Amino acid sequence: MTTAAVAVVARGAGTRAAALALRGSCRTSAPGRPCTGPARPFCTAPGTDPDMKHYLWERYREAKRSTDELVPSIMSNLLNPDAIFSNNEMSLSDIEIYGFDYDYTLVFYSKHLHTLIFNAARDLLINEHRYPVEIKKYEYDPNFAIRGLHYDVQRAVLMKIDAFHYIQRGTVYRGLSVVPDEEVIDMYEGSHVPLEQMSDFYGKSSHGNTMKQFMDIFSLPEMTLLSCVNEHFLKNNIDYEPVHLYKDVKDSIRDVHIKGIMYRAIEADIDKYICYAEQTRAVLAKLADHGKKMFLITNSPSSFVDKGMSYIVGKDWRDLFDVVIVQAEKPNFFNDKRRPFRKVNEKGVLLWDKIHKLQKGQIYKQGNLYEFLKLTGWRGSKVLYFGDHIYSDLADLTLKHGWRTGAIIPELRSELKIMNTEQYIQTMTWLQTLTGLLEQMQIHRDADSQLVLQEWKKERKEMREMTKSFFNAQFGSLFRTDQNPTYFLRRLSRFADIYMASLSCLLNYDVNHTFYPRRTPLQHELPAWSDMPSTFGAPRLQEARAK
């Protein structure tokens, strides 16, 4: 997958290292001697040698040396965290209209916001839902959860699931404590979650689905609060209904938004909560200078958006947009044909006029995409819309309306920086090499060989745990489980043509740039494609620095 570009390189490098370690051996020759038979890929030594342990450990050491030699070449091809990555070929020269979400797309928030949401929702649980006042001792931990996790509403466990619906072991949490693998396997009769138990299309637990997927950046404090309250009940042997707890926490988080608690706090101390970024205005100005039309569709209220945009872009921010729509109620906005638009005047009052045209400089509330398309004529692949929520912002647009879509994934920048470190590259390259050795040497079934292979498997397991902790101690990377893409990445790949850490990444590209997805090797293809520097579509870190 594109996000794991360094890991892809490591995979190819690991394969090469394993091949080098095995070169010169085959089934028809003694261990360590040149192959006298016809050339075959990944030939291995016979299992008849009396000193198989020596043979296997020699192959291990050779692979280690090959890995060490390969790491410097990988380190010279690091990826730029400010690059744009492509799932689907797309040329910006075809894009005439750019659309944007507001929260975590045009505007980014400081770490203080999630603490505010957590504390406010926790207090609502105590004051309005009569939860124990003792839960007030729990504070928000920004390092506990990651986006994309699933929550089993009935069992009250939080977990990470891969693209094939398998639970990653070691990532299932009840409260703040990890659930042992044996208990998870007993709970789910294995580690696979059936389709009928998974969340619905928008990640919700509805229509019989018992799982909720947390895809929104705003959901990080919700996951943490759920886990903290679960922890309190479990530690104090309090009998409770998990379904009720989930609903109460969900309602409290919702009320922080709907009752205006979050909006008022941000507006009262905008310097504290909004990360000022001149690049947001630079991106919009660049598009305007090239004659691109722009629009904003957000679920946030009018006055809140106006104050935020005035802060990061300027008082004249509406001059840059051809259409501004607030409180759109996405994803319903993309599907409900019944709701008409309403104009919002300068004082925030809703007018009753029938809307015949969406005018520049005005703000509109609610409405629906079908009416939007009718009034603007902005249809098909000439429209590119950016948002951070893969379901609410992007899914319907790409599946039902043919718009091009761009996902804003703030976590991408920090993960790429980790993947660019020598420690990560060294670990991943050796992990893939060791996996290759295990695959090739498993044919040796004698007792001595099996003891060696068991040691390798133990080392591999420890390295997998180490690579997880590079990103998040509990759940690892947003994009990968041990081997497979996460369920989050599967949906990202399906619903986003391109993705990036922030809109500022657009400043690194010409408005006519074409994004080409890398041809990553399939399991039955040679890994050589991923090893060739010319096949990488994303700018290298060295290239960006040179510029």
Side-chain angles (χ1 to χ4, degrees):
M1 286 296 177
T2 317
T3 49
V6 177
V8 171
V9 178
R11 182 182 67 185
T15 304
R16 293 202 305 276
L20 288 169
L22 295 168
R23 186 176 294 169
S25 299
C26 74
R27 296 177 189 275
T28 59
S29 60
R33 293 189 178 182
C35 178
T36 56
R40 289 184 294 179
F42 297 112
C43 292
T44 56
T48 58
D49 189 86
D51 192 8
M52 283 306 300
K53 291 177 76 172
H54 174 78
Y55 169 75
L56 291 174
W57 283 115
E58 185 59 33
R59 300 288 77 76
Y60 176 96
R61 287 187 288 271
E62 288 179 14
K64 266 282 192 184
R65 288 193 292 271
S66 298
T67 298
D68 293 339
E69 293 170 1
L70 286 167
V71 168
S73 66
I74 301 174
M75 289 295 297
S76 66
N77 288 288
L78 303 180
L79 282 174
N80 181 5
D82 293 318
I84 294 176
F85 301 90
S86 175
N87 291 320
N88 193 18
E89 185 172 326
M90 185 185 75
S91 177
L92 293 181
S93 62
D94 297 329
I95 305 301
E96 300 175 12
I97 305 117
Y98 286 77
F100 306 93
D101 180 32
Y102 177 68
D103 297 299
Y104 288 107
T105 300
L106 288 173
V107 63
F108 281 80
Y109 298 100
S110 72
K111 60 183 180 181
H112 301 294
L113 181 60
H114 286 173
T115 301
L116 166 70
I117 295 171
F118 178 93
N119 290 343
R122 180 198 60 199
D123 293 347
L124 286 173
L125 281 178
I126 296 170
N127 298 327
E128 297 191 7
H129 296 274
R130 298 185 179 182
Y131 275 66
V133 71
E134 288 80 9
I135 67 171
K136 204 173 182 67
K137 69 181 180 182
Y138 291 99
E139 297 181 351
Y140 178 64
D141 179 3
N143 299 314
F144 175 69
I146 62 173
R147 261 204 300 169
L149 299 178
H150 281 79
Y151 183 77
D152 189 322
V153 175
Q154 295 180 339
R155 295 185 175 97
V157 289
L158 189 65
M159 70 190 74
K160 184 176 174 184
I161 295 178
D162 73 12
F164 303 97
H165 296 192
Y166 281 91
I167 301 167
Q168 181 179 357
R169 297 187 181 185
T171 67
V172 180
Y173 277 74
R174 181 183 289 115
L176 300 175
S177 302
V178 66
V179 180
D181 292 340
E182 298 77 13
E183 186 177 342
V184 174
I185 292 171
D186 183 62
M187 196 185 309
Y188 291 96
E189 299 181 352
S191 57
H192 182 265
V193 180
L195 178 63
E196 61 269 16
Q197 293 182 27
M198 291 290 287
S199 53
D200 69 9
F201 182 79
Y202 295 107
K204 298 178 181 179
S205 58
S206 58
H207 307 297
N209 305 100
T210 60
M211 294 281 189
K212 154 74 177 180
Q213 188 181 18
F214 291 102
M215 298 293 277
D216 192 354
I217 299 176
F218 283 126
S219 67
L220 290 171
E222 182 176 358
M223 285 184 275
T224 307
L225 183 58
L226 266 172
S227 299
C228 287
V229 180
N230 271 313
E231 179 78 3
H232 177 78
F233 286 160
L234 292 167
K235 291 294 184 183
N236 291 279
N237 297 315
I238 299 174
D239 190 26
Y240 71 104
E241 172 53 60
V243 175
H244 298 333
L245 170 60
Y246 167 74
K247 183 180 183 303
D248 291 343
V249 170
K250 181 181 71 171
D251 289 347
S252 296
I253 291 287
R254 180 202 62 197
D255 287 346
V256 173
H257 294 262
I258 290 180
K259 293 183 176 181
I261 298 171
M262 184 188 80
Y263 301 130
R264 288 192 297 272
I266 293 175
E267 291 180 35
D269 198 349
I270 203 164
D271 290 310
K272 178 180 179 180
Y273 292 108
I274 290 185
C275 298
Y276 181 75
E278 292 181 353
Q279 290 181 315
T280 300
R281 182 178 179 88
V283 170
L284 299 176
K286 177 181 178 180
L287 296 176
D289 289 345
H290 284 85
K292 306 297 182 181
K293 295 183 180 298
M294 288 181 283
F295 64 93
L296 169 63
I297 302 178
T298 176
N299 288 348
S300 293
S302 175
S303 62
F304 177 73
V305 173
D306 181 59
K307 289 186 178 179
M309 289 297 289
S310 297
Y311 179 73
I312 64 172
V313 176
K315 296 291 185 181
D316 60 343
W317 69 271
R318 275 191 273 178
D319 295 341
L320 294 168
F321 291 90
D322 294 89
V323 177
V324 176
I325 300 167
V326 299
Q327 292 179 280
E329 297 182 18
K330 294 177 294 182
N332 292 336
F333 178 86
F334 301 128
N335 297 288
D336 190 344
K337 300 180 181 181
R338 298 167 296 178
R339 299 183 311 157
F341 286 106
R342 295 194 72 171
K343 186 184 291 186
V344 183
N345 70 11
E346 295 294 332
K347 295 182 179 181
V349 177
L350 291 173
L351 304 181
W352 46 262
D353 311 54
K354 183 175 178 62
I355 305 301
H356 297 281
K357 182 180 180 181
L358 297 176
Q359 298 176 317
K360 186 170 184 174
Q362 300 297 320
I363 295 180
Y364 301 90
K365 179 182 176 181
Q366 294 183 346
N368 65 84
L369 185 64
Y370 297 91
E371 188 70 14
F372 177 90
L373 298 175
K374 178 181 176 182
L375 295 173
T376 62
W378 296 345
R379 300 175 181 274
S381 58
K382 66 181 180 181
V383 183
L384 171 59
Y385 185 80
F386 292 96
D388 68 288
H389 198 303
I390 296 174
Y391 295 145
S392 296
D393 287 326
L394 309 180
D396 289 313
L397 292 178
T398 187
L399 292 178
K400 299 179 181 179
H401 303 287
W403 284 11
R404 308 310 295 264
T405 52
I408 304 300
I409 313 293
E411 302 94 333
L412 181 61
R413 183 175 282 116
S414 59
E415 290 220 5
L416 281 173
K417 287 180 178 178
I418 293 170
M419 292 165 63
N420 279 343
T421 62
E422 184 173 359
Q423 183 184 16
Y424 179 84
I425 292 172
Q426 180 79 46
T427 303
M428 282 302 302
T429 305
W430 175 236
L431 177 60
Q432 295 303 324
T433 301
L434 187 59
T435 301
L437 280 175
L438 279 166
E439 181 179 10
Q440 300 305 319
M441 295 302 182
Q442 64 182 322
I443 61 170
H444 303 299
R445 301 296 180 182
D446 60 282
D448 285 346
S449 296
Q450 287 300 305
L451 286 174
V452 174
L453 295 181
Q454 286 302 317
E455 288 191 49
W456 292 0
K457 288 178 180 178
K458 180 181 177 182
E459 181 182 357
R460 180 172 179 260
K461 182 179 179 180
E462 292 171 351
M463 292 178 67
R464 280 183 159 187
E465 187 64 29
M466 183 192 306
T467 57
K468 184 186 83 170
S469 65
F470 282 148
F471 301 99
N472 176 279
Q474 293 74 232
F475 302 101
S477 168
L478 174 64
F479 304 102
R480 275 195 178 275
T481 58
D482 288 328
Q483 286 288 100
N484 297 325
T486 58
Y487 194 84
F488 176 92
L489 183 58
R490 174 185 175 183
R491 308 303 270 176
L492 172 66
S493 302
R494 178 65 184 90
F495 300 139
D497 292 297
I498 57 176
Y499 60 101
M500 66 209 76
S502 70
L503 280 178
S504 63
C505 298
L506 283 170
L507 296 174
N508 300 324
Y509 299 85
D510 184 81
V511 291
N512 293 310
H513 185 87
T514 298
F515 295 100
Y516 296 97
R518 259 196 344 273
R519 182 186 173 94
T520 53
L522 303 175
Q523 292 299 314
H524 63 275
E525 294 179 327
L526 290 173
W529 287 103
S530 67
D531 301 335
M532 297 171 61
S534 60
T535 63
F536 281 85
R540 290 297 202 278
L541 189 58
Q542 287 78 0
E543 295 172 4
R545 287 171 177 167
K547 291 179 181 179

